[in-house]
Amino acid sequence: MPGQAPPTVTGYALLGLLSLRGEMSGYGLKKLADRTLRFFWVAPAMSHVYSELTRLSRAGLVTESLTQRGGRRLRRYSLSAAGDLELRRWLGEGEVDFPILKHEVALRLFLGHVTGPDRPRHLLARYRGQLRARSEELEAIRRSLEDDPRFRYAAMVAEWGIRYYLEEQQAVAHISNQLDPDRGPT
Amino acid sequence: MPGQAPPTVTGYALLGLLSLRGEMSGYGLKKLADRTLRFFWVAPAMSHVYSELTRLSRAGLVTESLTQRGGRRLRRYSLSAAGDLELRRWLGEGEVDFPILKHEVALRLFLGHVTGPDRPRHLLARYRGQLRARSEELEAIRRSLEDDPRFRYAAMVAEWGIRYYLEEQQAVAHISNQLDPDRGPT
DNA sequence: TGTAGCATGTAAGCCGTTACATGATTGA
DNA sequence: TCAATCATGTAACGGCTTACATGCTACA
């Protein structure tokens, strides 16, 4: 069977979540992704999780177990031996892209010459609030990860994120100062 | 003419570049994007720039001027009055998404329980080198922006980026320490 | 009794990519 | 004269999204 396309990065990320938690439903996987992957990769849409899981299953990297509970069919996925191997292979292998940032706030600051300083100033203020909210969210998650050695690496990534959000708040404060009306540009 | 889809964010970004620099070729726009947008939005593929420009042109937001120079046709684009208006409208309007980060290094650290600490440690070291290179690149760009009030906002974004790369280097150092063999996890 | 959460999917389409194709100009 | 850079596109396709469709279960 030639032309089996390798999984996408998101596919591997899902394999990784399964390796962390064991058997899960697509729905559960989505919720877990929202608590983890979302902060440094993507928050995949529900439908995307399902289609990705279908592909992984066809490739033999996850196994499905279909159960009936009441009137509801429940499909649980877990990492197959082949999936575990393939995940390890991918993790050990070469090319890792430099991170990509899609930062609309920065884009709008960049275009400040069109709007004048008021608009970026306002957006920066809002962004700061969002950063605070995100910080708290992520800190709650990090606390929930504490003291379980299995989640040690997850906790490190969470701390990295918290640190980033903090620094970002300071950067925003600094820029807002520069945009201050007193010392302000046109 | 109903059903004219509004430009994408990247479309607006290109309008913004035109507003900053005036008349440019698709090729020139791509090069400019690589020195600016790349750091906080995307580095659009050459072909993407052209197709986006075609759409903007059809929507009347940019005007084309086709000239012949030797055996080569040169198509230059500039912001139309409608484009300028639409750009201002968009910049002034609501919803700005929270930044999205696609961070493969973080993903691989997150999955450290699969590989053990050596692999993330190695990737982190490489990442640090890339961060240094990027820092220098961006610092050169920022210097090229100095002392021109038109580029004031662009310079602020460049400084923001430099600051981010610096903080990221420190974070990486911190994490690498935690992964140190002496105090190391399994 | 109603609603929030659990649960599983299909269809259509957009944004952006890589691969392919072509050729002129500048300067070492 | 050769390579790098300038310059303009088309075709195919991939990853991910939104909108749509359906229905069970727990609990207030």
Side-chain angles (χ1 to χ4, degrees), chain A residues 91 93 103 119 163 167, chain B residues 40 91 93 119 163 167:
Chain A
L91 284 171
E93 161 219 72
H103 203 310
R119 179 66 178 155
R163 185 179 170 144
E167 155 65 17
Chain B
F40 53 84
L91 284 171
E93 160 218 73
R119 178 66 177 154
R163 186 180 171 144
E167 155 64 18

Side-chain angles (χ1 to χ4, degrees), chain B residues 77-122:
Chain B
Y77 298 86
S78 50
L79 201 59
S80 71
D84 185 65
L85 212 70
E86 174 61 13
L87 176 59
R88 284 171 200 282
R89 194 202 55 72
W90 179 73
L91 284 171
E93 160 218 73
E95 291 324 287
V96 176
D97 285 341
F98 192 84
I100 289 172
L101 195 55
K102 303 200 83 176
H103 203 311
E104 287 201 34
V105 179
L107 173 58
R108 283 161 198 251
L109 174 61
F110 176 73
L111 298 179
H113 65 281
V114 177
T115 59
D118 279 0
R119 178 66 177 154
R121 186 157 46 224
H122 175 244

Side-chain angles (χ1 to χ4, degrees), chain A residues 3-83:
Chain A
Q4 264 281 38
T8 63
V9 176
T10 300
Y12 285 112
L14 293 180
L15 292 181
L17 292 182
L18 286 174
S19 84
L20 195 62
R21 280 287 196 88
E23 200 176 49
M24 296 186 76
S25 69
Y27 186 90
L29 222 32
K30 157 68 174 163
K31 278 206 325 181
L32 182 55
D34 282 345
R35 300 183 70 239
T36 55
L37 295 187
R38 173 161 68 102
F39 294 96
F40 54 84
W41 187 246
V42 265
M46 199 60 254
S47 66
H48 187 206
V49 172
Y50 283 116
S51 57
E52 202 66 57
L53 246 13
T54 303
R55 295 185 70 238
L56 293 171
S57 176
R58 274 206 259 271
L61 303 177
V62 300
T63 55
E64 301 177 19
S65 82
L66 190 58
T67 58
Q68 205 78 16
R69 233 174 83 84
R72 176 202 277 169
R73 87 210 124 117
L74 231 177
R75 202 185 292 272
R76 286 181 204 286
Y77 299 87
S78 49
L79 201 57
S80 71

